[in-house]
Amino acid sequence: DSGVTQTPKHLITATGQRVTLRCSPRSGDLSVYWYQQSLDQGLQFLIQYYNGEERAKGNILERFSAQQFPDLHSELNLSSLELGDSALYFCASSVARTGPNYGYTFGSGTRLTVV
Amino acid sequence: GQNIDQPTEMTATEGAIVQINCTYQTSGFNGLFWYQQHAGEAPTFLSYNVLDGLEEKGRFSSFLSRSKGYSYLLLKELQMKDSASYLCAVRDRAGQGGKLIFGQGTELSVKP
């Protein structure tokens, strides 16, 4: 157990629907990162939150949004789902204060299948 | 732009040594990470380099040359369980805004 908790582990839904993926970071970590990994693709950075505020944005579609709550858990909302959104979605957390750190810890991921 | 290149696939023999190369061109640099990922599982941290040189950690070593934008991961005494994808990642900034940018990963197959 990495300490980063993602739910649900698996999700099957139809095109056009909306889903919410949840991530609880490791205790003490203030930063949450969301990544998408499609079949045979690398990890694509979507968005980062630090202590409730958005800090960095990658190639995240307008149909996708995220937020980080006061208790530091984060949710990734995916709407108007398309077949191409089928992927593994990973959350990672880190302390992300100053200085070097090794603390990018990944959750076990949510496998989303859009049918 | 951000560009991280690594070979797509490699094959090696059990007990041998394999070197996985990674070259990067990123707008910022604050450290290079190597992760191991088994199919369908979460990436797990292997090594971290921020200064030039070699970092050794048991059977795994990682090297960095910042001037050349180059790193490699060296795996010794290969075991069957080392069959996995190896991901090279660059942290683009220090502190709160830094994120990891990943290469496509190198799929390593270890044969008996």
Side-chain angles (χ1 to χ4, degrees):
Chain A
D1 181 7
S2 68
V4 179
T5 304
Q6 285 189 251
T7 56
K9 290 197 185 305
H10 301 277
L11 199 50
I12 301 175
T13 190
T15 53
Q17 295 298 304
R18 172 190 168 94
V19 297
T20 298
L21 312 184
R22 182 187 169 104
C23 169
S24 293
R26 201 174 49 167
S27 178
D29 285 358
L30 301 179
S31 244
V32 169
Y33 309 78
W34 286 98
Y35 287 85
Q36 179 192 55
Q37 188 174 40
S38 303
L39 196 62
D40 297 330
Q41 294 285 317
L43 284 158
Q44 301 294 318
F45 171 72
L46 295 177
I47 198 164
Q48 177 208 354
Y49 279 84
Y50 174 81
N51 205 19
E53 294 185 5
E54 181 184 304
R55 283 296 170 139
K57 217 167 185 176
N59 296 324
I60 186 167
L61 299 172
E62 285 191 11
R63 301 183 285 110
F64 296 1
S65 65
Q67 55 185 326
Q68 187 179 29
F69 294 87
D71 67 352
L72 301 178
H73 91 271
S74 178
E75 293 181 355
L76 179 68
N77 301 297
L78 315 177
S79 62
S80 303
L81 284 167
E82 302 174 359
L83 296 178
D85 298 327
S86 296
L88 263 171
Y89 291 84
F90 286 104
C91 166
S93 74
S94 76
V95 173
R97 289 200 176 97
T98 57
N101 68 74
Y102 301 77
Y104 291 84
T105 304
F106 283 80
S108 57
T110 293
R111 181 174 292 282
L112 173 67
T113 304
V114 183
V115 297
Chain B
Q2 319 278 38
N3 198 37
I4 299 176
D5 287 320
Q6 44 182 137
T8 305
E9 297 177 329
M10 296 185 72
T11 302
T13 304
E14 193 176 14
I17 299 173
V18 71
Q19 177 175 313
I20 303 174
N21 296 323
C22 171
T23 58
Y24 63 90
Q25 284 181 303
T26 55
S27 55
F29 180 85
N30 190 252
L32 189 138
F33 294 71
W34 284 94
Y35 280 81
Q36 181 192 61
Q37 186 180 27
H38 287 97
E41 298 183 8
T44 54
F45 170 78
L46 288 178
S47 70
Y48 167 74
N49 296 70
V50 68
L51 299 176
D52 291 352
L54 190 67
E55 293 285 339
E56 296 187 79
K57 207 175 180 183
R59 295 191 298 116
F60 297 84
S61 303
S62 57
F63 172 83
L64 175 67
S65 169
R66 288 171 297 169
S67 63
K68 294 181 180 176
Y70 168 69
S71 173
Y72 69 71
L73 178 70
L74 195 70
L75 292 78
K76 304 174 190 172
E77 300 169 16
L78 280 171
Q79 302 174 10
M80 299 298 290
K81 67 178 183 179
D82 297 329
S83 293
S85 185
Y86 291 84
L87 311 176
C88 173
V90 168
R91 184 169 63 195
D92 61 350
R93 291 168 55 183
Q96 301 164 12
K99 63 186 181 290
L100 293 183
I101 305 163
F102 284 86
Q104 293 287 86
T106 298
E107 191 68 38
L108 174 66
S109 296
V110 180
K111 307 291 186 187

Coordinates of all heavy atoms in Angstrom, one line a residue, chain B residues 19-100:
Chain B
Q19 N 21.2 -1.7 -20.0 CA 21.2 -0.3 -19.8 C 20.1 0.3 -20.6 O 20.0 0.1 -21.8 CB 22.5 0.3 -20.3 CG 22.6 1.8 -20.2 CD 24.0 2.3 -20.5 OE1 25.0 1.8 -20.1 NE2 24.1 3.3 -21.4
I20 N 19.2 1.1 -20.0 CA 18.1 1.8 -20.6 C 18.4 3.3 -20.7 O 18.6 3.9 -19.6 CB 16.8 1.5 -19.9 CG1 16.5 0.0 -19.8 CG2 15.6 2.2 -20.6 CD1 15.3 -0.3 -18.9
N21 N 18.5 3.8 -21.9 CA 18.9 5.2 -22.1 C 17.7 6.1 -22.1 O 16.6 5.7 -22.5 CB 19.7 5.4 -23.3 CG 21.0 4.6 -23.3 OD1 21.6 4.6 -22.2 ND2 21.4 4.0 -24.4
C22 N 17.9 7.4 -21.8 CA 16.8 8.4 -21.8 C 17.5 9.7 -22.2 O 18.5 10.1 -21.5 CB 16.1 8.5 -20.4 SG 15.0 9.8 -20.2
T23 N 16.9 10.4 -23.2 CA 17.4 11.7 -23.5 C 16.2 12.7 -23.3 O 15.1 12.3 -23.5 CB 17.9 11.8 -24.9 OG1 16.9 11.4 -25.8 CG2 19.2 11.0 -25.1
Y24 N 16.5 13.9 -22.9 CA 15.4 14.8 -22.6 C 15.8 16.2 -23.1 O 16.9 16.6 -23.1 CB 15.1 14.8 -21.1 CG 16.2 15.3 -20.2 CD1 16.3 16.7 -19.9 CD2 17.2 14.4 -19.7 CE1 17.4 17.1 -19.1 CE2 18.2 14.9 -18.9 CZ 18.3 16.2 -18.6 OH 19.3 16.7 -17.8
Q25 N 14.7 16.9 -23.5 CA 14.8 18.3 -23.8 C 13.5 18.9 -23.1 O 12.4 18.7 -23.6 CB 14.8 18.6 -25.3 CG 16.0 18.3 -26.0 CD 15.9 18.6 -27.5 OE1 15.1 18.1 -28.2 NE2 16.8 19.4 -28.0
T26 N 13.7 19.6 -22.0 CA 12.6 20.2 -21.3 C 12.8 21.6 -21.0 O 13.9 22.1 -21.0 CB 12.3 19.4 -20.0 OG1 13.5 19.4 -19.2 CG2 11.9 18.0 -20.3
S27 N 11.7 22.4 -20.8 CA 11.8 23.8 -20.6 C 12.5 24.1 -19.2 O 13.0 25.2 -19.0 CB 10.5 24.5 -20.7 OG 9.6 23.9 -19.8
G28 N 12.4 23.2 -18.3 CA 13.0 23.3 -17.0 C 13.5 22.0 -16.5 O 13.1 20.9 -17.1
F29 N 14.4 22.0 -15.6 CA 14.9 20.7 -15.1 C 15.2 20.9 -13.6 O 16.0 21.7 -13.1 CB 16.2 20.3 -15.8 CG 16.8 19.0 -15.3 CD1 16.4 17.8 -15.8 CD2 17.8 19.0 -14.3 CE1 16.9 16.6 -15.3 CE2 18.3 17.8 -13.8 CZ 17.8 16.6 -14.3
N30 N 14.6 20.0 -12.8 CA 14.9 19.9 -11.4 C 14.9 18.5 -10.9 O 14.3 18.1 -9.9 CB 13.9 20.7 -10.6 CG 14.2 20.9 -9.1 OD1 13.6 20.3 -8.3 ND2 15.3 21.7 -8.9
G31 N 15.6 17.6 -11.7 CA 15.7 16.3 -11.2 C 15.2 15.3 -12.2 O 14.2 15.6 -13.0
L32 N 15.8 14.1 -12.3 CA 15.3 13.0 -13.2 C 15.0 11.8 -12.4 O 15.8 11.4 -11.5 CB 16.4 12.7 -14.2 CG 16.0 11.8 -15.4 CD1 16.4 12.3 -16.7 CD2 16.3 10.4 -15.1
F33 N 13.9 11.2 -12.7 CA 13.4 10.1 -11.9 C 13.3 8.8 -12.8 O 13.0 9.0 -14.0 CB 12.0 10.3 -11.4 CG 11.9 11.4 -10.3 CD1 12.1 12.8 -10.6 CD2 11.7 11.1 -9.0 CE1 12.1 13.7 -9.7 CE2 11.6 12.1 -8.0 CZ 11.8 13.4 -8.4
W34 N 13.5 7.7 -12.3 CA 13.2 6.4 -13.0 C 12.1 5.7 -12.1 O 12.3 5.6 -10.9 CB 14.4 5.5 -13.1 CG 15.3 6.0 -14.2 CD1 16.4 6.8 -14.1 CD2 15.3 5.7 -15.6 NE1 17.1 7.0 -15.3 CE2 16.3 6.3 -16.2 CE3 14.4 4.9 -16.4 CZ2 16.6 6.2 -17.6 CZ3 14.6 4.8 -17.7 CH2 15.7 5.4 -18.3
Y35 N 11.1 5.2 -12.8 CA 10.1 4.4 -12.2 C 10.0 3.1 -12.9 O 10.2 3.0 -14.1 CB 8.7 5.1 -12.3 CG 8.5 6.2 -11.3 CD1 9.0 7.5 -11.5 CD2 7.7 6.0 -10.1 CE1 8.8 8.5 -10.5 CE2 7.5 7.0 -9.2 CZ 8.1 8.2 -9.4 OH 7.9 9.2 -8.5
Q36 N 9.5 2.1 -12.2 CA 9.2 0.8 -12.7 C 7.7 0.6 -12.7 O 7.0 1.0 -11.7 CB 9.8 -0.4 -11.9 CG 9.6 -1.8 -12.4 CD 10.0 -2.8 -11.4 OE1 9.5 -2.9 -10.3 NE2 11.0 -3.7 -11.8
Q37 N 7.1 0.1 -13.8 CA 5.7 -0.1 -13.9 C 5.4 -1.5 -14.5 O 5.7 -1.8 -15.6 CB 5.0 0.9 -14.7 CG 3.5 0.8 -14.6 CD 2.8 1.9 -15.4 OE1 3.3 2.5 -16.4 NE2 1.5 2.2 -15.0
H38 N 4.8 -2.4 -13.7 CA 4.3 -3.6 -14.2 C 2.9 -3.4 -14.8 O 2.2 -2.4 -14.4 CB 4.2 -4.7 -13.1 CG 5.5 -5.2 -12.7 ND1 6.2 -4.8 -11.6 CD2 6.3 -6.2 -13.3 CE1 7.4 -5.4 -11.5 NE2 7.4 -6.3 -12.5
A39 N 2.5 -4.2 -15.8 CA 1.3 -3.9 -16.6 C 0.1 -3.8 -15.7 O -0.2 -4.6 -14.8 CB 1.1 -5.1 -17.5
G40 N -0.6 -2.7 -15.8 CA -1.9 -2.4 -15.1 C -1.7 -2.0 -13.7 O -2.7 -1.8 -12.9
E41 N -0.4 -1.8 -13.3 CA -0.1 -1.4 -11.9 C 0.4 0.0 -11.8 O 0.7 0.6 -12.8 CB 0.8 -2.4 -11.2 CG 0.3 -3.8 -11.2 CD 1.3 -4.8 -10.5 OE1 2.3 -4.3 -9.9 OE2 1.0 -6.0 -10.5
A42 N 0.5 0.5 -10.6 CA 1.1 1.8 -10.4 C 2.6 1.9 -10.6 O 3.3 0.9 -10.3 CB 0.8 2.3 -9.0
P43 N 3.1 3.0 -11.1 CA 4.5 3.1 -11.2 C 5.1 3.2 -9.8 O 4.5 3.8 -8.9 CB 4.7 4.5 -11.9 CG 3.4 4.8 -12.5 CD 2.4 4.1 -11.7
T44 N 6.3 2.5 -9.6 CA 7.0 2.6 -8.3 C 8.4 3.2 -8.5 O 9.0 2.9 -9.5 CB 7.1 1.2 -7.7 OG1 7.7 0.3 -8.6 CG2 5.8 0.6 -7.3
F45 N 8.8 4.0 -7.6 CA 10.0 4.8 -7.6 C 11.2 3.9 -7.6 O 11.3 3.0 -6.8 CB 10.0 5.8 -6.5 CG 11.3 6.5 -6.3 CD1 11.7 7.5 -7.1 CD2 12.2 6.0 -5.3 CE1 12.9 8.2 -6.9 CE2 13.4 6.7 -5.1 CZ 13.8 7.7 -5.9
L46 N 12.2 4.1 -8.5 CA 13.4 3.4 -8.5 C 14.6 4.3 -8.1 O 15.4 3.9 -7.3 CB 13.7 2.8 -9.9 CG 12.9 1.7 -10.4 CD1 13.3 1.3 -11.8 CD2 13.0 0.5 -9.4
S47 N 14.7 5.5 -8.8 CA 15.9 6.3 -8.5 C 15.7 7.7 -8.9 O 14.7 8.0 -9.6 CB 17.1 5.7 -9.3 OG 16.9 6.0 -10.7
Y48 N 16.6 8.6 -8.3 CA 16.5 10.0 -8.5 C 17.9 10.6 -8.7 O 18.8 10.2 -7.9 CB 15.8 10.6 -7.3 CG 15.9 12.1 -7.2 CD1 15.1 12.9 -8.0 CD2 16.7 12.7 -6.2 CE1 15.1 14.3 -7.8 CE2 16.7 14.1 -6.1 CZ 16.0 14.9 -6.9 OH 16.0 16.2 -6.7
N49 N 18.0 11.4 -9.7 CA 19.3 12.1 -9.9 C 19.0 13.6 -10.1 O 18.1 13.9 -10.9 CB 20.1 11.6 -11.2 CG 20.5 10.2 -11.1 OD1 19.6 9.3 -11.1 ND2 21.8 9.9 -11.0
V50 N 19.7 14.4 -9.4 CA 19.6 15.9 -9.7 C 21.0 16.5 -10.1 O 21.1 17.5 -10.8 CB 19.0 16.6 -8.5 CG1 19.9 16.6 -7.3 CG2 18.5 18.0 -8.9
L51 N 22.1 15.8 -9.6 CA 23.4 16.2 -10.0 C 24.0 15.2 -10.9 O 23.6 14.1 -11.0 CB 24.3 16.4 -8.7 CG 23.8 17.4 -7.7 CD1 24.7 17.3 -6.5 CD2 23.8 18.8 -8.3
D52 N 25.0 15.6 -11.7 CA 25.7 14.7 -12.6 C 26.4 13.6 -11.9 O 26.9 13.8 -10.8 CB 26.7 15.5 -13.4 CG 26.1 16.5 -14.4 OD1 24.9 16.5 -14.6 OD2 26.9 17.3 -15.0
G53 N 26.3 12.4 -12.5 CA 27.0 11.3 -11.9 C 26.1 10.1 -11.7 O 25.0 10.1 -12.2
L54 N 26.7 9.1 -11.0 CA 26.1 7.8 -10.9 C 25.5 7.7 -9.5 O 26.2 8.0 -8.5 CB 27.1 6.8 -11.1 CG 26.6 5.3 -11.2 CD1 25.8 5.1 -12.5 CD2 27.8 4.4 -11.3
E55 N 24.3 7.2 -9.4 CA 23.6 6.9 -8.1 C 23.4 5.4 -8.1 O 22.8 4.8 -9.0 CB 22.3 7.6 -7.9 CG 22.4 9.1 -7.8 CD 22.9 9.5 -6.4 OE1 22.8 8.7 -5.5 OE2 23.4 10.7 -6.3
E56 N 23.9 4.7 -7.1 CA 23.8 3.2 -7.0 C 22.9 2.8 -5.9 O 22.9 3.4 -4.8 CB 25.2 2.6 -6.9 CG 26.1 2.9 -8.1 CD 27.4 2.1 -8.0 OE1 27.3 0.9 -8.4 OE2 28.4 2.6 -7.6
K57 N 22.0 1.8 -6.2 CA 21.0 1.4 -5.2 C 20.8 -0.1 -5.5 O 19.9 -0.5 -6.2 CB 19.7 2.2 -5.5 CG 18.9 2.4 -4.3 CD 17.7 3.3 -4.7 CE 16.8 3.5 -3.5 NZ 15.6 4.3 -3.9
G58 N 21.6 -0.9 -4.8 CA 21.5 -2.3 -5.0 C 21.8 -2.8 -6.4 O 22.8 -2.4 -7.0
R59 N 20.8 -3.5 -7.1 CA 21.0 -3.9 -8.4 C 20.8 -2.8 -9.5 O 21.1 -3.0 -10.6 CB 20.1 -5.1 -8.7 CG 20.4 -6.4 -7.9 CD 19.6 -7.6 -8.5 NE 18.2 -7.4 -8.4 CZ 17.4 -7.3 -9.5 NH1 17.8 -7.4 -10.7 NH2 16.0 -7.1 -9.3
F60 N 20.3 -1.7 -9.0 CA 19.9 -0.6 -9.9 C 20.9 0.5 -9.7 O 21.2 0.9 -8.6 CB 18.5 -0.2 -9.7 CG 17.5 -1.2 -9.9 CD1 17.1 -2.2 -8.9 CD2 16.8 -1.3 -11.1 CE1 16.2 -3.1 -9.2 CE2 15.8 -2.3 -11.4 CZ 15.5 -3.2 -10.4
S61 N 21.3 1.1 -10.9 CA 22.1 2.4 -10.8 C 21.5 3.3 -11.9 O 21.0 2.9 -12.9 CB 23.5 2.1 -11.2 OG 24.1 1.1 -10.4
S62 N 21.6 4.6 -11.6 CA 21.2 5.6 -12.6 C 22.2 6.7 -12.7 O 22.9 7.1 -11.7 CB 19.8 6.2 -12.2 OG 19.9 6.8 -10.9
F63 N 22.4 7.1 -14.0 CA 23.4 8.1 -14.3 C 22.7 9.3 -14.9 O 21.7 9.2 -15.6 CB 24.4 7.5 -15.3 CG 25.4 8.5 -15.9 CD1 26.5 8.8 -15.2 CD2 25.2 9.1 -17.1 CE1 27.4 9.7 -15.7 CE2 26.1 10.0 -17.6 CZ 27.2 10.3 -16.9
L64 N 23.3 10.5 -14.7 CA 22.8 11.7 -15.2 C 23.9 12.6 -15.8 O 25.0 12.8 -15.1 CB 22.0 12.5 -14.2 CG 21.5 13.9 -14.6 CD1 20.4 13.7 -15.7 CD2 21.0 14.6 -13.4
S65 N 23.7 13.1 -17.0 CA 24.6 14.2 -17.5 C 23.7 15.3 -17.9 O 22.9 15.2 -18.9 CB 25.4 13.7 -18.7 OG 26.0 14.8 -19.4
R66 N 23.6 16.4 -17.1 CA 22.7 17.5 -17.4 C 23.1 18.2 -18.7 O 22.3 18.7 -19.5 CB 22.7 18.4 -16.2 CG 21.9 17.9 -15.0 CD 22.1 18.8 -13.8 NE 23.5 18.8 -13.4 CZ 24.0 19.7 -12.5 NH1 23.2 20.6 -11.9 NH2 25.3 19.7 -12.2
S67 N 24.4 18.4 -18.9 CA 24.9 19.1 -20.1 C 24.5 18.4 -21.4 O 24.2 19.0 -22.4 CB 26.4 19.3 -20.1 OG 27.1 18.0 -20.1
K68 N 24.4 17.1 -21.3 CA 24.0 16.3 -22.5 C 22.5 16.0 -22.5 O 22.0 15.4 -23.5 CB 24.8 15.0 -22.6 CG 26.3 15.2 -22.8 CD 27.0 13.9 -22.9 CE 28.5 14.2 -23.1 NZ 29.3 12.9 -23.2
G69 N 21.8 16.3 -21.5 CA 20.4 15.9 -21.4 C 20.2 14.4 -21.5 O 19.3 13.9 -22.3
Y70 N 20.9 13.7 -20.7 CA 21.0 12.3 -20.9 C 21.1 11.6 -19.6 O 21.7 12.0 -18.6 CB 22.3 11.9 -21.7 CG 22.7 10.5 -21.7 CD1 21.9 9.5 -22.4 CD2 23.8 10.0 -21.1 CE1 22.3 8.2 -22.5 CE2 24.2 8.7 -21.1 CZ 23.5 7.8 -21.8 OH 23.8 6.5 -21.9
S71 N 20.4 10.4 -19.5 CA 20.4 9.6 -18.3 C 20.3 8.1 -18.8 O 19.9 7.8 -19.9 CB 19.2 9.9 -17.4 OG 19.1 9.0 -16.3
Y72 N 20.8 7.3 -17.9 CA 20.5 5.8 -18.1 C 20.3 5.2 -16.8 O 20.7 5.6 -15.8 CB 21.7 5.2 -18.9 CG 23.0 5.0 -18.2 CD1 23.2 4.1 -17.1 CD2 24.1 5.8 -18.6 CE1 24.4 4.0 -16.5 CE2 25.3 5.6 -18.0 CZ 25.5 4.8 -16.9 OH 26.7 4.6 -16.2
L73 N 19.5 4.1 -17.0 CA 19.2 3.2 -15.8 C 19.9 1.9 -16.1 O 19.8 1.3 -17.2 CB 17.7 3.0 -15.7 CG 17.3 2.0 -14.6 CD1 17.5 2.6 -13.2 CD2 15.8 1.6 -14.7
L74 N 20.7 1.4 -15.2 CA 21.5 0.2 -15.3 C 20.9 -0.9 -14.4 O 20.8 -0.6 -13.2 CB 23.0 0.4 -15.0 CG 24.0 -0.6 -15.5 CD1 24.1 -0.6 -17.0 CD2 25.3 -0.4 -14.8
L75 N 20.5 -2.0 -14.9 CA 20.0 -3.1 -14.1 C 21.0 -4.3 -14.2 O 21.3 -4.8 -15.3 CB 18.6 -3.5 -14.6 CG 17.4 -2.6 -14.4 CD1 17.5 -1.5 -15.5 CD2 16.1 -3.3 -14.5
K76 N 21.4 -4.7 -13.1 CA 22.4 -5.8 -13.0 C 21.7 -7.1 -12.5 O 20.6 -7.0 -11.9 CB 23.5 -5.5 -12.1 CG 24.3 -4.2 -12.4 CD 25.3 -3.9 -11.3 CE 25.9 -2.5 -11.5 NZ 26.7 -2.1 -10.4
E77 N 22.4 -8.2 -12.8 CA 21.9 -9.5 -12.3 C 20.4 -9.6 -12.6 O 19.6 -9.9 -11.6 CB 22.2 -9.7 -10.8 CG 23.7 -9.6 -10.5 CD 24.0 -9.5 -9.0 OE1 23.0 -9.8 -8.2 OE2 25.1 -9.1 -8.7
L78 N 20.0 -9.5 -13.8 CA 18.6 -9.4 -14.2 C 17.8 -10.7 -13.7 O 18.3 -11.8 -13.8 CB 18.4 -9.3 -15.7 CG 18.6 -7.9 -16.2 CD1 18.6 -7.9 -17.7 CD2 17.5 -7.0 -15.7
Q79 N 16.6 -10.4 -13.2 CA 15.7 -11.5 -12.8 C 14.5 -11.4 -13.6 O 14.1 -10.4 -14.2 CB 15.4 -11.3 -11.3 CG 16.7 -11.3 -10.4 CD 16.3 -11.0 -8.9 OE1 15.2 -10.9 -8.5 NE2 17.4 -10.8 -8.1
M80 N 13.8 -12.5 -13.6 CA 12.5 -12.6 -14.4 C 11.5 -11.5 -14.0 O 10.8 -10.9 -14.8 CB 11.9 -14.0 -14.4 CG 12.8 -15.1 -14.9 SD 13.2 -14.9 -16.6 CE 11.6 -15.2 -17.3
K81 N 11.5 -11.2 -12.7 CA 10.6 -10.3 -12.2 C 10.9 -8.8 -12.6 O 10.1 -7.9 -12.4 CB 10.5 -10.3 -10.6 CG 11.8 -9.9 -10.0 CD 11.7 -9.9 -8.5 CE 13.0 -9.4 -7.8 NZ 12.9 -9.4 -6.3
D82 N 12.1 -8.6 -13.2 CA 12.4 -7.3 -13.7 C 11.7 -7.0 -15.0 O 11.8 -5.8 -15.5 CB 13.9 -7.2 -13.9 CG 14.7 -7.3 -12.6 OD1 14.2 -6.9 -11.5 OD2 15.9 -7.8 -12.6
S83 N 11.1 -8.0 -15.6 CA 10.3 -7.7 -16.8 C 9.2 -6.7 -16.5 O 8.3 -7.0 -15.6 CB 9.6 -9.0 -17.3 OG 10.7 -9.9 -17.8
A84 N 9.2 -5.6 -17.1 CA 8.3 -4.5 -16.7 C 8.6 -3.3 -17.7 O 9.5 -3.4 -18.5 CB 8.5 -4.0 -15.3
S85 N 7.8 -2.2 -17.5 CA 8.1 -1.0 -18.2 C 8.9 -0.1 -17.3 O 8.6 0.0 -16.1 CB 6.8 -0.3 -18.7 OG 7.0 0.8 -19.5
Y86 N 9.9 0.6 -17.9 CA 10.7 1.5 -17.1 C 10.5 2.9 -17.7 O 10.7 3.2 -18.8 CB 12.2 1.1 -17.2 CG 12.4 -0.2 -16.4 CD1 12.1 -1.5 -17.0 CD2 12.7 -0.2 -15.1 CE1 12.2 -2.6 -16.3 CE2 12.8 -1.4 -14.3 CZ 12.6 -2.6 -14.9 OH 12.7 -3.8 -14.2
L87 N 10.1 3.8 -16.8 CA 9.7 5.1 -17.1 C 10.8 6.1 -16.7 O 11.1 6.2 -15.5 CB 8.4 5.5 -16.5 CG 7.2 4.4 -16.6 CD1 6.0 4.9 -15.9 CD2 6.9 4.2 -18.1
C88 N 11.2 7.0 -17.6 CA 12.1 8.1 -17.3 C 11.2 9.3 -17.2 O 10.3 9.5 -18.0 CB 13.1 8.2 -18.5 SG 14.1 9.7 -18.5
A89 N 11.4 10.1 -16.2 CA 10.6 11.3 -15.9 C 11.5 12.5 -15.5 O 12.4 12.3 -14.7 CB 9.5 11.0 -14.9
V90 N 11.2 13.6 -15.9 CA 11.9 14.9 -15.6 C 10.9 15.7 -14.7 O 9.8 15.9 -15.1 CB 12.4 15.6 -16.8 CG1 12.8 17.0 -16.4 CG2 13.5 14.9 -17.5
R91 N 11.4 16.2 -13.6 CA 10.7 17.2 -12.9 C 11.0 18.6 -13.4 O 12.2 18.9 -13.5 CB 11.0 17.1 -11.4 CG 10.1 18.1 -10.5 CD 10.2 17.9 -9.1 NE 11.5 18.1 -8.6 CZ 12.0 17.6 -7.4 NH1 11.2 17.0 -6.6 NH2 13.2 17.9 -7.0
D92 N 10.0 19.3 -13.8 CA 10.3 20.5 -14.6 C 10.7 21.8 -13.7 O 11.3 22.7 -14.2 CB 9.2 20.9 -15.5 CG 7.9 21.1 -14.8 OD1 7.8 20.9 -13.6 OD2 6.9 21.5 -15.5
R93 N 10.2 21.7 -12.5 CA 10.5 22.9 -11.6 C 10.7 22.4 -10.2 O 10.2 21.3 -9.8 CB 9.3 23.9 -11.6 CG 9.1 24.6 -12.8 CD 7.8 25.3 -12.8 NE 7.6 26.2 -11.6 CZ 6.5 26.8 -11.4 NH1 5.5 26.8 -12.2 NH2 6.4 27.6 -10.3
A94 N 11.3 23.2 -9.3 CA 11.4 22.9 -7.9 C 10.1 23.3 -7.2 O 9.4 24.1 -7.7 CB 12.6 23.6 -7.3
G95 N 9.9 22.8 -6.1 CA 8.9 23.3 -5.2 C 7.5 23.0 -5.6 O 7.2 22.0 -6.3
Q96 N 6.6 23.9 -5.3 CA 5.2 23.6 -5.3 C 4.6 23.4 -6.8 O 3.7 22.7 -7.0 CB 4.4 24.8 -4.7 CG 4.8 25.0 -3.3 CD 4.3 26.3 -2.8 OE1 3.5 27.0 -3.4 NE2 4.8 26.8 -1.6
G97 N 5.3 24.0 -7.7 CA 4.7 24.0 -9.1 C 5.3 22.8 -9.9 O 4.9 22.6 -11.1
G98 N 6.3 22.1 -9.4 CA 7.0 21.1 -10.1 C 6.2 19.9 -10.4 O 5.4 19.4 -9.5
K99 N 6.2 19.4 -11.6 CA 5.5 18.2 -11.9 C 6.4 17.3 -12.7 O 7.5 17.7 -13.2 CB 4.3 18.5 -12.8 CG 4.6 19.1 -14.2 CD 3.4 19.5 -14.9 CE 3.7 20.1 -16.2 NZ 4.3 21.4 -16.1
L100 N 6.1 16.0 -12.7 CA 6.9 15.0 -13.5 C 6.4 14.9 -14.9 O 5.2 14.7 -15.1 CB 6.8 13.6 -12.8 CG 7.5 13.5 -11.4 CD1 7.4 12.1 -11.0 CD2 8.9 13.9 -11.5

